[in-house]
């Protein structure tokens, strides 16, 4: 036998058995996005490498070590499989001058790529829901995005405050961060002996990220570090407090986490994460914030932006851990066809039923009556449509109820299917 080929490490097939949860999530997202007036904007999976280097910042985990970058062998272009969606969204609205007529609220779902060590909840190809609001400067839209995620949790049956909790912080404006950065570097230099290798490397390039360290040996040091919040000016504090006032009024509990800094350089003012206690160290299911300088930085006319990314695999793992399921989706009917020679009589009837909106599964490839009925039962269908030789000879099909033991089998005319199709619809 020829050698069996396998998928790339860390990149997964999504099998039919897992699809119901994916589709449930995707359908729920579409519904919630429409309710808030967000519209689709789908960007390519491959973008110029420079977009991410300039957009995310050179000294970030993603740009330093996680990007799938390659040279286009046809023309030598430097390309990258998108590791996140915001930079591409910004490129697209700049390229199409999409804010010309005013602010824009957009979203997309799709694969992202990061070269990480694969483990549960961390893959090399994973999927995100990405939502962005462009052109709104006020905290109203920050609050709206956060509440929209809460609405999504509620639709899926997740409880805020226990299954998922909200953390927020403010990163202020660049000048405020600069003053804080100087104080932070001075503090870290004074305690240089306690820094690990990564922190030493980032001390002058990206000291804020040191606060985000997962190294337990450095926790005490970072806990006592100068806080960005203490360097925020009046306007930044007002933005943060206005956001808090809306969340408070909406009855959404949150924790202010002064150490929340996020992984990309583009953020300012509001940042937030939704975390869960159920997924070990892959605790963040959704993260986002404001990026008022990014559009300009990527060559657009200055305009504010705010958005978030939600890790779909992590969220589905969470739903699975909590045994949250989509409502059962059984077909209305299952067609049992003892003799495949009858297909020319059978298929037009199935097409009529499906055109009436019914979900009808055809047992493929024949097989014994017994095995066909077993499959009909396992499908969850409420009815078996039995195309036996006797029925077909009379121009009929037998309807056998599979779920209601008290109901009796009966026959219907093949020619008049449109008239009785409604009877089969699942209650
Ligand atoms: P982490 O700290 O866990 O590495 P991150 O800060 O790199 O997360 P973001 O860039 O904020 O993650 O991406 C938003 C969300 O996408 C994350 O909260 C997470 O749910 C999901 N995510 C990020 N990287 C992966 C991955 N490699 N596999 C699966 N999901 C991921
Ligand atoms: Mg990461």
């Amino acid at each position: 036998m020829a050698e069996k080929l396998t998928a790339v490490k860390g990149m997964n097939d999504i099998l039919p058995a897992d699809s119901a949860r994916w589709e449930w999530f995707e359908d729920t997202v579409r519904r919630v996005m429409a309710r808030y007036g967000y519209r689709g904007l789908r960007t390519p999976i491959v973008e110029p490498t420079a977009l991410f280097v300039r957009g995310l910042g050179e000294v970030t985990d993603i740009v330093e070590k996680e990007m799938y970058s390659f040279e286009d062998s046809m023309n030598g272009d430097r390309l990258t499989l998108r590791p996140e969606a915001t930079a591409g969204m910004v490129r697209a609205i700049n390229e199409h001058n999409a804010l010309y007529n005013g602010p824009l609220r957009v979203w997309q779902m799709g694969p992202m790529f990061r070269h990480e060590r694969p483990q549960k909840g961390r893959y090399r190809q994973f999927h995100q829901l990405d939502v962005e609001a462009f052109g709104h400067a006020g905290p109203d839209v920050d609050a709206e995005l956060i509440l929209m995620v809460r609405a999504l949790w509620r639709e899926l049956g997740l409880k805020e405050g226990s299954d998922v909790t909200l953390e927020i912080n403010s990163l202020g404006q660049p000048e405020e961060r600069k003053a804080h950065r100087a104080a932070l570097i001075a503090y870290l230099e004074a305690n240089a002996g306690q820094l690990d290798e990564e922190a030493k490397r980032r001390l002058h390039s990206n000291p804020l990220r040191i606060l985000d360290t997962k190294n337990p040996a450095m926790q005490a040091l970072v806990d006592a570090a100068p806080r960005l919040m203490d360097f925020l000016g009046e306007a930044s504090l007002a933005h943060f407090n206005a956001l808090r006032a809306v969340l408070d009024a909406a009855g959404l509990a949150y924790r202010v986490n002064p150490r929340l800094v996020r992984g990309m350089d583009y953020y300012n003012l509001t940042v937030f994460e939704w975390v869960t206690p159920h997924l070990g160290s892959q605790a963040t299911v959704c993260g986002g914030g404001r990026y008022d300088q990014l559009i300009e930085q990527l060559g657009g006319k200055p305009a504010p932006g705010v958005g978030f990314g939600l890790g779909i695999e992590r969220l589905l793992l969470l739903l699975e851990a909590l045994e949250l399921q989509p409502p059962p989706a059984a077909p209305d009917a299952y067609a049992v066809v003892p003799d495949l020679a009858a297909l020319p009589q059978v298929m037009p009837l199935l097409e009529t039923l499906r055109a009436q909106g019914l979900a009808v599964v055809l047992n493929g490839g024949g097989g014994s009556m017994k095995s066909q009925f077993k499959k009909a039962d396992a499908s969850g269908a409420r009815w078996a449509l039995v195309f036996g030789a006797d029925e077909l000879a009379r121009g009929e099909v037998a309807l056998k109820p599979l779920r209601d033991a008290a109901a009796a089998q009966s026959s219907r005319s093949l020619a008049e299917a449109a008239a009785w199709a409604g009877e089969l619809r699942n209650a």
Side-chain angles (χ1 to χ4, degrees):
M1 251 202 293
E3 192 195 345
K4 202 188 270 177
L5 296 167
T6 57
V8 176
K9 188 175 171 200
M11 305 198 180
N12 302 307
D13 299 308
I14 297 161
L15 299 172
D18 300 321
S19 290
R21 251 197 199 99
W22 278 84
E23 286 159 17
W24 177 41
F25 175 75
E26 290 162 355
D27 291 346
T28 309
V29 165
R30 286 199 181 91
R31 232 175 27 241
V32 170
M33 290 303 137
R35 267 183 220 164
Y36 286 78
Y38 282 71
R39 296 160 65 201
L41 170 58
R42 302 179 205 204
T43 59
I45 284 166
V46 180
E47 295 274 5
T49 301
L51 173 66
F52 303 111
V53 176
R54 258 169 72 188
L56 310 192
E58 294 205 48
V59 193
T60 54
D61 278 349
I62 293 179
V63 172
E64 278 187 335
K65 53 191 186 203
E66 295 175 357
M67 293 207 301
Y68 278 92
S69 297
F70 57 97
E71 197 181 289
D72 184 330
S73 60
M74 301 294 175
N75 59 12
D77 287 353
R78 298 293 310 160
L79 304 176
T80 294
L81 301 184
R82 64 181 184 191
E84 60 92 62
T86 305
M89 290 287 224
V90 169
R91 181 205 45 72
I93 62 125
N94 285 349
E95 190 165 337
H96 302 285
N97 204 10
L99 301 185
Y100 184 77
N101 291 320
L104 197 63
R105 293 166 155 101
V106 290
W107 69 280
Q108 69 175 316
M109 271 189 284
M112 307 293 154
F113 301 83
R114 296 184 193 176
H115 204 284
E116 306 198 65
R117 192 170 67 77
Q119 52 195 293
K120 195 172 179 190
R122 192 177 292 283
Y123 312 103
R124 291 180 173 174
Q125 175 177 327
F126 62 101
H127 296 74
Q128 278 186 355
L129 161 64
D130 182 71
V131 185
E132 314 286 352
F134 296 114
H136 305 85
D140 48 335
V141 180
D142 307 20
E144 175 186 271
L145 282 169
I146 290 171
L147 293 173
M148 182 161 73
V149 179
R150 176 175 73 167
L152 188 59
W153 300 152
R154 289 181 170 179
E155 292 283 315
L156 295 167
L158 289 166
K159 291 190 199 64
E160 75 230 38
S162 55
D163 298 336
V164 272
T165 57
L166 175 65
E167 299 196 346
I168 61 173
N169 190 22
S170 176
L171 299 184
Q173 299 293 9
E175 322 81 67
E176 294 156 357
R177 275 211 300 286
K178 213 148 121 198
H180 168 253
R181 184 188 152 105
L184 183 60
I185 291 177
Y187 167 82
L188 294 171
E189 272 173 345
N191 296 281
Q194 294 175 59
L195 299 180
D196 62 16
E197 282 314 307
E198 182 160 275
K200 275 184 196 145
R201 204 164 45 78
R202 287 185 162 168
L203 180 55
H204 292 278
S205 56
N206 197 347
L208 200 59
R209 278 294 273 170
I210 299 177
L211 301 184
D212 196 30
T213 178
K214 289 176 176 126
N215 181 355
M218 284 180 35
Q219 292 308 311
L221 180 70
V222 297
D223 279 341
R227 290 183 169 202
L228 178 51
M229 199 62 82
D230 299 326
F231 289 77
L232 297 190
E234 223 169 275
S236 294
L237 285 173
H239 188 104
F240 193 54
N241 290 331
L243 166 68
R244 296 185 58 168
V246 177
L247 299 181
D248 290 338
L252 174 53
Y254 54 83
R255 185 169 86 88
V256 176
N257 176 0
R259 299 257 304 278
L260 181 61
V261 297
R262 310 271 309 128
M264 288 68 123
D265 283 357
Y266 51 58
Y267 290 110
N268 70 314
L269 294 174
T270 310
V271 287
F272 66 91
E273 286 190 353
W274 285 92
V275 297
T276 176
H278 300 296
L279 293 180
S281 57
Q282 271 62 258
T284 306
V285 290
C286 173
R290 185 162 274 285
Y291 48 85
D292 294 331
Q293 288 85 37
L294 183 62
I295 294 176
E296 183 177 13
Q297 193 185 313
L298 292 177
K301 260 185 42 203
V306 54
F308 66 81
L310 182 155
I312 301 181
E313 280 85 353
R314 278 190 206 174
L315 181 67
L316 297 188
L317 281 171
L318 176 61
L319 294 175
E320 201 180 333
L322 296 169
E323 294 180 11
L324 293 168
Q325 316 246 19
D332 297 293
Y334 192 98
V336 172
V337 187
D339 180 0
L340 290 183
L343 282 179
Q345 273 177 288
V346 171
M347 217 58 117
L349 173 90
L350 302 189
E351 290 301 290
T352 303
L353 298 180
R354 288 167 179 152
Q356 304 277 319
L358 295 174
V360 185
V361 176
L362 168 66
N363 177 68
S368 76
M369 284 291 266
K370 194 171 160 208
S371 85
Q372 291 199 43
F373 270 112
K374 226 164 137 181
K375 286 193 229 160
D377 206 43
S379 77
R382 209 152 63 90
W383 298 94
L385 304 177
V386 189
F387 295 88
D390 294 347
E391 284 92 1
L392 288 174
R394 292 195 301 270
E396 293 182 342
V397 54
L399 308 191
K400 185 175 171 358
L402 295 173
R403 295 281 166 275
D404 182 358
Q409 182 168 323
S410 59
S411 294
R412 293 289 183 286
S413 153
L414 293 177
E416 286 155 27
W420 51 263
E423 288 176 53
L424 303 188
R425 206 174 299 281
N426 268 330

